[in-house]
Amino acid sequence: MANIRVLVVDDSAFMRVMVSKLLSQDPALEVVGLARNGEEALAQVQALHPDVITLDVEMPKMGGLEFLSRLMAWQPTPVVMLSSLTQVGAEITVEALELGAVDFVPKPDQAMAIHQVADELITKVKRASKAKVAPLLSSRESRRSQPSSDSARFARTTKQTASWDRVLVIGASTGGPRALRNVLSALPGDLPMAVMIVQHMPPGFTRSLANHLDQCSALQVREAVMGDRLERGVALVAPGGYHMILDRDGSIRLDQGPTVNGVRPSVDVTLLSTATIYGDRAIAVVLTGMGHDGTDGARAIKRSRGVVLAEHESTCVVYGMPRSVIEAGLADEVVPLDQMAEAIIRCLNLTPAKA
């Protein structure tokens, strides 16, 4: 088996050495280059053609975000971010994921403690090597994915979900932030249903994700809190470290019980509770991600005569979660990412928003 060739990018000489040593512990990984900033990294990419890049954010001459933008427009390559566990770090990490970074590893507060995340870093670099990274959209294409002028003008008024209303649950993992942005930016602000989003992400990052999604969507998007109630036109994001459960009175319960499928929040947990309460008025959407989280929940939705949509392999960063749903025979439609919002609207018998 050929080695996975890794380029390490960090302005700290100590971190470059430490990350390189940690990755080199695994015989499947080969560190082929080190770079101090984005300018050096672009030159190294051109010369070395690495399979995966580990990337810091704050660097002189050219920072991580500018490097990412140029890389994804020029030579898309899987990137794993090394992210600070601060509010600013979380905001930048989410922006990096929207630009096309595949995954991230939270940095310990002290650089000397980087060995504490060695296993996670090695695992995520290996996973990233199998990811399919799409080119960054041009400015013209990016505008097409934003809400139409009509949908963007919808007043952000909300109404508590009544018993006859429908609910949409979207689940995602690796590659999810960029996919979620694509879907939510194309949904109208007067969508006549409540929305719940489950993105595999650790504590401290989901609030930033919700804020970023809120900025690009005509829907209101916010991180869920205990006791929240479903509202039409509002999308609630499961907080990192908590399962998001829908109770019979329409309120949200956050639970720190055991992980399910190795994750918390779990898509399955949210879908199972939704199927019980909403039955055939539920729509489940399973987007890009590794593993099979969402399959048991999709099965429950189908048994309750709800609708299940799965992302097509052609647009998945990691074709894991949707593949599991599709191979289980649970998908009513298999839809490329850029058509997912239209498919959701079609399920509601509404006219799609025009881009």
Side-chain angles (χ1 to χ4, degrees), residues 56-68:
D56 189 22
V57 174
E58 295 184 7
M59 299 178 292
K61 294 187 178 179
M62 183 188 295
L65 294 181
E66 183 180 352
F67 166 75
L68 257 180

Side-chain angles (χ1 to χ4, degrees), residues 141-304:
E141 291 169 325
S142 181
R143 283 195 296 272
R144 287 177 187 165
S145 70
Q146 298 305 307
S148 69
S149 58
D150 289 336
S151 66
R153 284 199 299 267
F154 284 118
R156 283 188 159 194
T157 56
T158 61
K159 181 179 179 181
Q160 185 174 306
T161 301
S163 60
W164 59 84
D165 287 332
R166 304 185 73 173
V167 64
L168 169 66
V169 179
I170 306 176
S173 187
T174 309
R178 196 172 179 184
L180 288 167
R181 182 182 182 90
N182 187 301
V183 174
L184 291 184
S185 66
L187 291 173
D190 65 343
L191 191 72
M193 64 193 316
V195 181
M196 292 186 287
I197 297 169
V198 182
Q199 165 69 49
H200 296 164
M201 194 170 269
F205 292 88
T206 43
R207 180 170 296 178
S208 294
L209 173 65
N211 291 341
H212 275 252
L213 293 175
D214 183 65
Q215 292 170 15
C216 77
S217 176
L219 299 169
Q220 290 186 34
V221 187
R222 65 173 185 262
E223 186 181 52
V225 298
M226 183 75 84
D228 259 337
R229 301 185 69 83
L230 295 186
E231 297 176 275
R232 289 186 300 210
V234 174
L236 298 176
V237 177
Y242 290 86
H243 295 306
M244 183 164 63
I245 301 170
L246 181 60
D247 283 334
R248 288 196 173 275
D249 63 357
S251 64
I252 295 295
R253 176 161 48 93
L254 302 178
D255 182 85
Q256 284 190 301
T259 61
V260 175
N261 302 315
V263 293
R264 188 177 60 227
S266 162
V267 183
D268 275 338
V269 171
T270 300
L271 285 176
L272 287 167
S273 66
T274 302
T276 300
I277 298 168
Y278 273 80
D280 63 359
R281 293 174 290 119
I283 299 174
V285 173
V286 180
L287 301 177
T288 175
M290 184 164 294
H292 57 83
D293 189 32
T295 299
D296 288 343
R299 185 173 290 110
I301 295 292
K302 287 294 294 178
R303 285 175 179 167
S304 300

Side-chain angles (χ1 to χ4, degrees), residues 9 36-39 41-42 55-72 79 81 92 95-96 99 101:
V9 185
R36 294 175 294 179
N37 55 54
E39 286 186 357
L42 287 175
L55 181 64
D56 189 22
V57 174
E58 295 184 7
M59 299 178 292
K61 294 187 178 179
M62 183 188 295
L65 294 181
E66 183 180 352
F67 166 75
L68 257 180
S69 296
R70 296 193 183 191
L71 177 74
M72 293 305 170
V79 171
M81 305 296 299
I92 293 174
E95 187 172 349
L99 286 171

